[in-house]
C-alpha cells in the first residue's frame, strides 16, 4: 500500500494539524500539490455526504487514494442545528461572528446549552470507502470568550474544561478536538491496514 494520501481540503490550518497527527508516518499532500486549484464540491445534506463527495471528487479525477473531512456544531435544544450548515448558519457569505450571534439569539433564555462538534472523515482507499467520526461534547456559553481558534470556538466550552475553545491554547484544542479524534482514528486504521 502506498504511504501517500491526498487530504481534499484547501484549508492550510487543517493540513498542518493533520501533518502533526500523521507524524511523518504518512505523506499527506493537498489538492494543489497534484494540480487541482479551486473549490471542492460540498452539496450534500449530511456531514458524511459532504466528506465523501470531496474525497470522491479528487479520487476520481486523479485516480489517487484520498480523504476529506466535514464538521458541524450540533446543538441539542435546536434538534442538531446548525449541523451540516454550520459555516453558513446566518446565511451565505456571512461571518463567523454573524453565525455566533444567530446561535446565541436562538438559544436566548434556553437553559439547555448542550452541544457537540462532530467531524466525519471519509477515506477512499483502493476504491473502497471508509468513515471515521470524532465528537467533542460541551456547552454553549451566554457570551463570547477568547481570541484563539475560529468559527464557534468563542462560545463552546468542552466538557471537563472551564475555558472556551477560543480561550484554550491551540496545543490543547488540537489534542482533544473532534477533528483530531477523527484523524487519529483514520491514522490508526491506516497503520493497522498495512500490517
Ligand atoms: P468544516 O467542515 O471543517 O469546514 O467546518 C464547517 C464549519 O463548522 C466551520 O465553518 C465552522 O463554522 C464550524 N467549525 C468546524 N470546526 C470548528 C472548530 O474546531 N471550532 C469552531 N467551529 C468549527
Amino acid at each position: 500500500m502506498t504511504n501517500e494520501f491526498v487530504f481534499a481540503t484547501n484549508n492550510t490550518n487543517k493540513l498542518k494539524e493533520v501533518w502533526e497527527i500523521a507524524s511523518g508516518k504518512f505523506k499527506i499532500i493537498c489538492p494543489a500539490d497534484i494540480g487541482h486549484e479551486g473549490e471542492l464540491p460540498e452539496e450534500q445534506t449530511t456531514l458524511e455526504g459532504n466528506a465523501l463527495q470531496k474525497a470522491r471528487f479528487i479520487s476520481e479525477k486523479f485516480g489517487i487514494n484520498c480523504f476529506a473531512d466535514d464538521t458541524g456544531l450540533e446543538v441539542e435544544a435546536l434538534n442538531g442545528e446548525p449541523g451540516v450548515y454550520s459555516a453558513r448558519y446566518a446565511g451565505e457569505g456571512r461571518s463567523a461572528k454573524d453565525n455566533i450571534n444567530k446561535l446565541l439569539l436562538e438559544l436566548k433564555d434556553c437553559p439547555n446549552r448542550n452541544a457537540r462538534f462532530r467531524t466525519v472523515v471519509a477515506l477512499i482507499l483502493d476504491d473502497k470507502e471508509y468513515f471515521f467520526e470524532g465528537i467533542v461534547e460541551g456547552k454553549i456559553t451566554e457570551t463570547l470568550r477568547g481570541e484563539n481558534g475560529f468559527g464557534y470556538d468563542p462560545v463552546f466550552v468542552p466538557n471537563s474544561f472551564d475555558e472556551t475553545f477560543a480561550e484554550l491554547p491551540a496545543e490543547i484544542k488540537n489534542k482533544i478536538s473532534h477533528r483530531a479524534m477523527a484523524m487519529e482514528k483514520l491514522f490508526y486504521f491506516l497503520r493497522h491496514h498495512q500490517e
Side-chain angles (χ1 to χ4, degrees), residues 55-132:
R56 270 194 191 149
F57 179 82
I58 291 292
S59 173
E60 284 168 10
K61 188 164 173 196
F62 294 95
I64 191 166
N65 289 330
C66 179
F67 64 90
D69 73 330
D70 201 33
T71 296
L73 175 69
E74 300 177 340
V75 180
E76 195 171 273
L78 302 176
N79 300 315
E81 282 185 13
V84 71
Y85 304 107
S86 294
R88 49 204 149 108
Y89 190 39
E92 211 64 60
R94 305 292 292 275
S95 68
K97 196 89 175 278
D98 293 334
N99 289 336
I100 287 178
N101 287 340
K102 177 169 162 73
L103 178 67
L104 294 184
L105 200 62
E106 296 285 341
L107 288 179
K108 198 167 179 314
D109 302 325
C110 177
N112 179 1
R113 316 294 295 188
N114 294 337
R116 63 185 198 172
F117 277 114
R118 189 164 76 91
T119 293
V120 174
V121 170
L123 166 72
I124 300 184
L125 175 62
D126 302 331
D127 295 327
K128 289 199 190 68
E129 296 168 351
Y130 305 88
F131 291 93
F132 307 89

Coordinates of all heavy atoms in Angstrom, one line a residue, residues 55-132:
A55 N -14.0 13.7 -1.1 CA -12.9 12.7 -1.3 C -13.1 12.0 -2.7 O -12.1 11.8 -3.4 CB -13.0 11.7 -0.2
R56 N -14.4 11.7 -3.0 CA -14.6 11.1 -4.3 C -14.2 12.0 -5.5 O -13.7 11.5 -6.5 CB -16.1 10.8 -4.5 CG -16.5 9.5 -4.0 CD -17.9 9.1 -4.5 NE -18.5 8.0 -3.8 CZ -19.8 7.8 -3.6 NH1 -20.6 8.8 -3.9 NH2 -20.2 6.7 -3.0
F57 N -14.4 13.3 -5.4 CA -14.1 14.2 -6.4 C -12.6 14.1 -6.8 O -12.3 14.0 -8.0 CB -14.5 15.6 -6.0 CG -14.2 16.7 -6.9 CD1 -15.1 17.0 -8.0 CD2 -13.0 17.5 -6.8 CE1 -14.8 18.0 -8.9 CE2 -12.7 18.5 -7.7 CZ -13.6 18.7 -8.8
I58 N -11.8 14.2 -5.8 CA -10.3 14.2 -6.0 C -9.9 12.8 -6.4 O -9.1 12.6 -7.4 CB -9.6 14.6 -4.8 CG1 -9.8 16.1 -4.5 CG2 -8.1 14.3 -4.9 CD1 -9.2 17.1 -5.5
S59 N -10.4 11.8 -5.8 CA -10.0 10.4 -6.1 C -10.4 10.0 -7.5 O -9.6 9.4 -8.2 CB -10.7 9.5 -5.1 OG -10.5 8.1 -5.4
E60 N -11.6 10.4 -7.9 CA -12.0 10.0 -9.3 C -11.2 10.8 -10.3 O -10.8 10.3 -11.4 CB -13.5 10.2 -9.5 CG -14.3 9.1 -8.8 CD -15.8 9.4 -8.7 OE1 -16.2 10.3 -9.3 OE2 -16.4 8.6 -8.0
K61 N -11.0 12.1 -10.0 CA -10.3 13.0 -11.0 C -8.9 12.6 -11.2 O -8.3 12.6 -12.3 CB -10.4 14.4 -10.5 CG -9.9 15.4 -11.5 CD -10.4 16.9 -11.2 CE -9.7 17.8 -12.2 NZ -9.7 19.2 -11.7
F62 N -8.2 12.2 -10.1 CA -6.8 11.9 -10.2 C -6.4 10.4 -10.0 O -5.2 10.1 -10.1 CB -6.0 12.8 -9.2 CG -6.1 14.2 -9.5 CD1 -7.1 15.0 -8.8 CD2 -5.3 14.9 -10.4 CE1 -7.2 16.4 -9.1 CE2 -5.4 16.2 -10.6 CZ -6.4 17.0 -10.0
G63 N -7.4 9.6 -9.8 CA -7.1 8.1 -9.6 C -6.1 7.9 -8.4 O -5.1 7.2 -8.5
I64 N -6.4 8.5 -7.3 CA -5.5 8.5 -6.2 C -6.2 8.3 -4.9 O -7.4 8.7 -4.7 CB -4.7 9.9 -6.1 CG1 -3.5 9.8 -5.2 CG2 -5.6 11.0 -5.8 CD1 -2.6 11.0 -5.4
N65 N -5.6 7.6 -3.9 CA -6.2 7.5 -2.6 C -6.3 8.8 -1.9 O -5.4 9.7 -2.0 CB -5.3 6.6 -1.7 CG -5.4 5.1 -2.2 OD1 -6.4 4.7 -2.7 ND2 -4.3 4.4 -2.0
C66 N -7.4 9.0 -1.2 CA -7.8 10.4 -0.8 C -8.7 10.3 0.4 O -9.4 9.4 0.6 CB -8.5 11.1 -2.0 SG -9.0 12.7 -1.6
F67 N -8.6 11.4 1.3 CA -9.6 11.5 2.4 C -10.0 13.0 2.5 O -9.3 13.9 2.0 CB -9.1 10.9 3.7 CG -7.9 11.7 4.3 CD1 -8.1 12.7 5.1 CD2 -6.6 11.3 4.0 CE1 -7.0 13.4 5.7 CE2 -5.5 11.9 4.5 CZ -5.7 13.0 5.4
A68 N -11.2 13.2 3.1 CA -11.7 14.5 3.3 C -12.5 14.5 4.6 O -12.9 13.5 5.1 CB -12.6 14.9 2.1
D69 N -12.7 15.7 5.1 CA -13.5 15.9 6.4 C -14.6 16.9 6.2 O -14.6 17.7 5.3 CB -12.6 16.2 7.5 CG -12.2 17.7 7.5 OD1 -12.0 18.3 6.4 OD2 -11.9 18.3 8.6
D70 N -15.6 16.8 7.1 CA -16.6 17.8 7.2 C -17.0 17.8 8.7 O -17.1 16.8 9.4 CB -17.8 17.5 6.3 CG -18.6 18.7 6.0 OD1 -18.0 19.8 5.9 OD2 -19.8 18.6 5.9
T71 N -17.3 19.0 9.2 CA -17.6 19.2 10.6 C -18.9 20.0 10.8 O -19.1 21.0 10.0 CB -16.4 20.0 11.3 OG1 -15.3 19.2 11.2 CG2 -16.7 20.3 12.7
G72 N -19.6 19.8 11.9 CA -20.7 20.6 12.2 C -20.9 20.7 13.7 O -20.4 19.9 14.5
L73 N -21.5 21.8 14.1 CA -21.8 22.0 15.5 C -23.3 21.6 15.7 O -24.2 22.2 15.0 CB -21.7 23.5 15.9 CG -22.1 23.9 17.3 CD1 -21.1 23.3 18.4 CD2 -22.2 25.4 17.5
E74 N -23.5 20.6 16.5 CA -24.9 20.1 16.7 C -25.4 20.5 18.1 O -24.8 20.0 19.1 CB -24.8 18.6 16.5 CG -24.3 18.2 15.1 CD -24.2 16.7 14.9 OE1 -24.1 15.9 15.9 OE2 -24.2 16.3 13.7
V75 N -26.4 21.3 18.1 CA -26.9 21.9 19.4 C -28.2 21.1 19.8 O -29.2 21.0 19.0 CB -27.2 23.4 19.2 CG1 -27.8 23.9 20.5 CG2 -25.9 24.1 18.9
E76 N -28.2 20.5 21.0 CA -29.3 19.7 21.4 C -30.7 20.4 21.4 O -31.6 19.8 20.8 CB -29.0 19.2 22.8 CG -29.8 18.0 23.3 CD -29.3 17.5 24.6 OE1 -28.4 16.6 24.6 OE2 -29.9 17.9 25.7
A77 N -30.7 21.6 21.9 CA -32.0 22.3 22.0 C -32.5 22.7 20.6 O -33.7 23.1 20.5 CB -31.9 23.5 22.9
L78 N -31.6 22.7 19.6 CA -32.0 23.1 18.3 C -32.1 21.9 17.3 O -32.0 22.0 16.1 CB -31.0 24.1 17.7 CG -30.8 25.4 18.5 CD1 -29.7 26.3 17.9 CD2 -32.1 26.2 18.6
N79 N -32.4 20.7 18.0 CA -32.5 19.5 17.2 C -31.3 19.2 16.3 O -31.5 18.8 15.1 CB -33.8 19.5 16.4 CG -35.0 19.6 17.2 OD1 -35.1 19.0 18.3 ND2 -35.9 20.5 16.9
G80 N -30.1 19.5 16.8 CA -28.9 19.2 16.0 C -28.5 20.3 15.0 O -27.5 20.2 14.3
E81 N -29.2 21.4 15.0 CA -28.8 22.5 14.1 C -27.6 23.2 14.8 O -27.5 23.2 16.0 CB -29.9 23.5 13.9 CG -30.9 23.0 12.9 CD -32.0 24.1 12.6 OE1 -31.8 25.3 13.0 OE2 -33.0 23.8 12.0
P82 N -26.8 24.0 14.1 CA -26.8 24.2 12.7 C -26.2 23.0 11.9 O -26.3 22.9 10.7 CB -25.9 25.4 12.5 CG -25.0 25.5 13.7 CD -25.8 24.9 14.8
G83 N -25.5 22.0 12.5 CA -25.1 20.8 11.9 C -24.3 21.0 10.6 O -23.3 21.8 10.6
V84 N -24.7 20.4 9.5 CA -24.0 20.5 8.3 C -24.0 21.9 7.7 O -23.2 22.2 6.9 CB -24.6 19.4 7.3 CG1 -26.0 19.8 6.8 CG2 -23.6 19.2 6.1
Y85 N -24.9 22.7 8.2 CA -25.0 24.1 7.7 C -24.2 25.1 8.6 O -24.4 26.3 8.5 CB -26.4 24.5 7.6 CG -27.2 23.6 6.7 CD1 -28.1 22.7 7.2 CD2 -26.9 23.6 5.3 CE1 -28.8 21.8 6.3 CE2 -27.6 22.7 4.5 CZ -28.5 21.8 5.0 OH -29.1 20.9 4.2
S86 N -23.3 24.6 9.5 CA -22.6 25.5 10.5 C -21.9 26.6 9.8 O -21.9 27.7 10.4 CB -21.6 24.6 11.3 OG -22.3 23.7 12.0
A87 N -21.3 26.4 8.7 CA -20.5 27.5 8.1 C -21.3 28.6 7.6 O -20.9 29.8 7.5 CB -19.6 26.9 6.9
R88 N -22.6 28.3 7.2 CA -23.4 29.4 6.7 C -24.8 29.5 7.4 O -25.8 29.7 6.8 CB -23.6 29.2 5.2 CG -24.1 27.7 4.9 CD -23.7 27.4 3.4 NE -23.4 25.9 3.4 CZ -24.2 25.0 2.8 NH1 -25.3 25.4 2.2 NH2 -23.8 23.8 2.8
Y89 N -24.7 29.4 8.7 CA -25.9 29.4 9.6 C -26.7 30.7 9.4 O -27.9 30.7 9.3 CB -25.5 29.1 11.0 CG -26.6 28.9 12.0 CD1 -27.7 28.1 11.6 CD2 -26.6 29.4 13.3 CE1 -28.7 27.9 12.5 CE2 -27.6 29.1 14.2 CZ -28.7 28.4 13.8 OH -29.6 28.1 14.7
A90 N -25.9 31.8 9.4 CA -26.6 33.1 9.3 C -26.8 33.5 7.9 O -27.3 34.6 7.6 CB -25.7 34.2 10.0
G91 N -26.5 32.7 6.9 CA -26.7 33.0 5.5 C -25.4 32.9 4.8 O -24.3 33.0 5.3
E92 N -25.5 32.7 3.4 CA -24.4 32.5 2.6 C -23.4 33.8 2.7 O -24.0 34.9 2.6 CB -24.9 32.4 1.1 CG -24.0 31.5 0.2 CD -23.9 30.1 0.6 OE1 -24.9 29.4 0.7 OE2 -22.7 29.7 0.9
G93 N -22.1 33.5 2.8 CA -21.2 34.7 2.8 C -21.1 35.5 4.1 O -20.4 36.5 4.2
R94 N -21.9 35.1 5.2 CA -21.9 35.8 6.4 C -20.7 35.3 7.3 O -20.1 34.3 7.1 CB -23.2 35.6 7.2 CG -24.4 36.0 6.4 CD -24.5 37.5 6.1 NE -24.8 38.2 7.3 CZ -26.0 38.4 7.9 NH1 -27.1 37.9 7.3 NH2 -26.1 39.2 9.0
S95 N -20.3 36.2 8.3 CA -19.1 35.9 9.0 C -19.4 34.9 10.2 O -20.5 34.6 10.6 CB -18.6 37.2 9.6 OG -19.5 37.7 10.6
A96 N -18.3 34.4 10.8 CA -18.4 33.6 11.9 C -19.1 34.3 13.1 O -19.9 33.7 13.8 CB -17.0 33.1 12.4
K97 N -18.8 35.6 13.2 CA -19.5 36.4 14.3 C -21.0 36.4 14.0 O -21.8 36.3 15.0 CB -18.9 37.8 14.2 CG -19.1 38.6 15.4 CD -18.0 38.5 16.4 CE -18.2 39.4 17.6 NZ -17.6 40.8 17.3
D98 N -21.4 36.5 12.8 CA -22.8 36.5 12.4 C -23.5 35.2 12.8 O -24.6 35.1 13.4 CB -23.1 36.8 10.9 CG -22.7 38.2 10.5 OD1 -22.7 39.1 11.3 OD2 -22.3 38.3 9.3
N99 N -22.7 34.1 12.5 CA -23.2 32.8 12.9 C -23.4 32.6 14.4 O -24.4 32.1 14.9 CB -22.3 31.7 12.4 CG -22.3 31.6 10.9 OD1 -23.3 31.9 10.2 ND2 -21.2 31.1 10.3
I100 N -22.4 33.1 15.1 CA -22.5 33.0 16.6 C -23.6 33.9 17.1 O -24.4 33.4 18.0 CB -21.1 33.5 17.2 CG1 -20.1 32.5 17.0 CG2 -21.3 33.8 18.7 CD1 -18.7 32.9 17.5
N101 N -23.8 35.1 16.6 CA -24.9 35.9 17.1 C -26.3 35.3 16.8 O -27.2 35.3 17.7 CB -24.9 37.3 16.4 CG -23.7 38.1 16.9 OD1 -23.2 37.9 18.0 ND2 -23.3 39.1 16.1
K102 N -26.4 34.6 15.7 CA -27.7 33.9 15.4 C -27.9 32.8 16.4 O -29.0 32.6 17.0 CB -27.7 33.4 14.0 CG -28.9 32.6 13.6 CD -29.0 32.3 12.2 CE -30.0 31.2 11.8 NZ -31.4 31.5 11.9
L103 N -26.8 32.0 16.6 CA -26.9 30.9 17.6 C -27.3 31.4 19.0 O -28.2 30.8 19.6 CB -25.5 30.2 17.6 CG -25.4 29.0 18.6 CD1 -26.3 27.9 18.1 CD2 -24.0 28.6 18.8
L104 N -26.6 32.5 19.5 CA -27.0 33.0 20.8 C -28.4 33.5 20.9 O -29.1 33.3 21.9 CB -25.9 34.0 21.2 CG -24.5 33.6 21.4 CD1 -23.6 34.7 21.9 CD2 -24.4 32.4 22.4
L105 N -28.9 34.0 19.8 CA -30.2 34.5 19.8 C -31.2 33.3 19.8 O -32.2 33.4 20.5 CB -30.4 35.3 18.5 CG -31.6 36.3 18.4 CD1 -31.5 37.4 19.5 CD2 -31.7 36.9 17.0
E106 N -30.9 32.3 19.0 CA -31.8 31.1 19.0 C -31.8 30.5 20.4 O -32.8 29.9 20.8 CB -31.3 30.1 18.0 CG -31.3 30.5 16.6 CD -32.7 30.5 16.0 OE1 -33.6 29.8 16.5 OE2 -32.9 31.1 14.9
L107 N -30.7 30.6 21.2 CA -30.6 29.9 22.5 C -31.0 30.9 23.6 O -30.8 30.5 24.8 CB -29.2 29.4 22.7 CG -28.9 28.1 21.9 CD1 -27.5 27.7 22.2 CD2 -29.8 27.0 22.1
K108 N -31.4 32.1 23.3 CA -31.7 33.1 24.3 C -32.7 32.5 25.3 O -33.8 31.9 24.9 CB -32.3 34.3 23.7 CG -32.3 35.6 24.5 CD -32.6 36.8 23.7 CE -32.6 38.1 24.4 NZ -33.3 38.2 25.6
D109 N -32.4 32.6 26.6 CA -33.2 32.1 27.7 C -33.4 30.6 27.7 O -34.3 30.1 28.3 CB -34.6 32.8 27.7 CG -34.5 34.3 27.8 OD1 -33.6 34.8 28.5 OD2 -35.3 35.0 27.2
C110 N -32.7 29.9 26.9 CA -32.8 28.4 26.8 C -31.8 27.8 27.8 O -30.6 28.1 27.7 CB -32.5 27.9 25.4 SG -32.5 26.2 25.3
P111 N -32.3 27.1 28.8 CA -31.4 26.5 29.8 C -30.6 25.4 29.3 O -29.5 25.1 29.8 CB -32.4 26.0 30.9 CG -33.7 25.9 30.2 CD -33.7 26.8 29.0
N112 N -31.1 24.7 28.3 CA -30.3 23.5 27.8 C -29.2 24.0 26.8 O -29.5 24.4 25.7 CB -31.2 22.5 27.1 CG -30.5 21.4 26.5 OD1 -29.2 21.3 26.6 ND2 -31.2 20.5 25.8
R113 N -28.0 24.1 27.2 CA -26.9 24.6 26.4 C -26.0 23.5 25.8 O -24.9 23.7 25.3 CB -26.0 25.5 27.2 CG -26.6 26.5 28.2 CD -27.4 27.6 27.5 NE -26.6 28.5 26.7 CZ -27.1 29.6 26.1 NH1 -28.4 29.9 26.2 NH2 -26.4 30.4 25.4
N114 N -26.5 22.2 25.9 CA -25.7 21.1 25.4 C -25.5 21.1 23.9 O -26.4 21.4 23.2 CB -26.4 19.8 25.8 CG -26.4 19.5 27.3 OD1 -25.6 20.1 28.0 ND2 -27.4 18.7 27.7
A115 N -24.2 20.9 23.5 CA -23.9 20.9 22.1 C -22.7 20.0 21.9 O -22.0 19.6 22.8 CB -23.5 22.3 21.7
R116 N -22.4 19.7 20.6 CA -21.2 18.9 20.3 C -20.7 19.3 19.0 O -21.5 19.6 18.1 CB -21.5 17.4 20.4 CG -22.5 16.9 19.4 CD -22.8 15.4 19.6 NE -23.4 14.9 18.4 CZ -23.6 13.6 18.2 NH1 -23.4 12.7 19.1 NH2 -24.2 13.1 17.1
F117 N -19.4 19.2 18.8 CA -18.8 19.3 17.5 C -18.6 17.8 17.0 O -18.2 17.0 17.7 CB -17.4 19.9 17.5 CG -17.4 21.4 17.6 CD1 -17.0 22.1 18.7 CD2 -17.8 22.1 16.4 CE1 -16.9 23.5 18.7 CE2 -17.8 23.5 16.4 CZ -17.4 24.2 17.6
R118 N -19.0 17.6 15.7 CA -18.9 16.3 15.2 C -18.1 16.4 13.8 O -18.5 17.2 13.0 CB -20.2 15.6 15.0 CG -20.1 14.2 14.5 CD -21.5 13.5 14.7 NE -22.4 13.8 13.7 CZ -22.6 13.1 12.6 NH1 -21.8 12.1 12.3 NH2 -23.5 13.5 11.7
T119 N -17.1 15.7 13.7 CA -16.3 15.6 12.4 C -16.5 14.2 11.8 O -16.3 13.2 12.5 CB -14.8 15.9 12.7 OG1 -14.6 17.2 13.1 CG2 -14.0 15.6 11.4
V120 N -16.7 14.2 10.5 CA -16.7 12.9 9.8 C -15.5 13.0 8.8 O -15.4 14.0 8.0 CB -18.0 12.7 9.1 CG1 -17.9 11.4 8.2 CG2 -19.1 12.5 10.1
V121 N -14.7 11.9 8.8 CA -13.7 11.8 7.7 C -14.1 10.7 6.8 O -14.5 9.6 7.3 CB -12.3 11.5 8.4 CG1 -11.3 11.1 7.3 CG2 -11.8 12.7 9.2
A122 N -14.0 10.9 5.5 CA -14.3 9.9 4.5 C -13.0 9.5 3.9 O -12.3 10.4 3.4 CB -15.3 10.3 3.5
L123 N -12.7 8.2 3.8 CA -11.4 7.8 3.2 C -11.8 6.9 2.0 O -12.6 6.0 2.0 CB -10.6 6.9 4.2 CG -9.5 6.1 3.6 CD1 -8.3 7.0 3.2 CD2 -9.0 5.1 4.7
I124 N -11.1 7.2 0.9 CA -11.2 6.3 -0.3 C -9.8 5.6 -0.5 O -8.8 6.3 -0.7 CB -11.6 7.0 -1.6 CG1 -13.0 7.6 -1.3 CG2 -11.7 6.1 -2.8 CD1 -13.6 8.3 -2.4
L125 N -9.8 4.3 -0.3 CA -8.5 3.6 -0.3 C -8.7 2.4 -1.2 O -9.6 1.5 -0.9 CB -8.2 3.1 1.1 CG -7.0 2.3 1.3 CD1 -5.7 3.0 0.9 CD2 -6.8 1.8 2.8
D126 N -8.0 2.4 -2.3 CA -8.1 1.3 -3.3 C -9.5 1.0 -3.7 O -10.0 -0.1 -3.6 CB -7.4 0.0 -2.7 CG -6.0 0.3 -2.4 OD1 -5.3 1.1 -3.0 OD2 -5.5 -0.4 -1.4
D127 N -10.3 2.1 -3.9 CA -11.6 2.0 -4.4 C -12.7 1.6 -3.4 O -13.8 1.4 -3.7 CB -11.8 1.2 -5.7 CG -11.0 1.7 -6.8 OD1 -11.0 3.0 -6.9 OD2 -10.5 1.0 -7.7
K128 N -12.2 1.5 -2.1 CA -13.2 1.2 -1.0 C -13.4 2.5 -0.2 O -12.5 3.3 -0.1 CB -12.7 0.1 -0.1 CG -12.7 -1.3 -0.8 CD -12.7 -2.4 0.3 CE -12.4 -3.7 -0.3 NZ -11.1 -3.9 -0.9
E129 N -14.6 2.6 0.4 CA -14.9 3.8 1.2 C -15.0 3.5 2.7 O -15.6 2.5 3.1 CB -16.2 4.4 0.7 CG -16.1 4.9 -0.7 CD -17.5 5.2 -1.4 OE1 -18.5 4.9 -0.8 OE2 -17.4 5.8 -2.5
Y130 N -14.4 4.3 3.5 CA -14.4 4.1 5.0 C -14.8 5.5 5.6 O -14.4 6.5 5.1 CB -13.1 3.7 5.5 CG -12.5 2.4 4.8 CD1 -11.8 2.5 3.6 CD2 -12.7 1.2 5.4 CE1 -11.3 1.4 3.0 CE2 -12.2 0.0 4.8 CZ -11.5 0.1 3.6 OH -11.0 -1.0 3.0
F131 N -15.4 5.4 6.8 CA -15.7 6.6 7.6 C -15.2 6.6 9.0 O -15.2 5.5 9.6 CB -17.3 6.8 7.7 CG -17.9 7.1 6.3 CD1 -18.4 6.1 5.5 CD2 -18.0 8.4 5.9 CE1 -19.0 6.4 4.3 CE2 -18.6 8.7 4.7 CZ -19.1 7.7 3.9
F132 N -14.8 7.7 9.5 CA -14.3 7.8 10.9 C -14.9 9.1 11.5 O -15.1 10.1 10.8 CB -12.7 8.0 10.8 CG -12.1 6.9 10.1 CD1 -11.8 7.0 8.7 CD2 -11.7 5.7 10.7 CE1 -11.3 6.0 8.0 CE2 -11.2 4.7 10.0 CZ -10.9 4.8 8.6

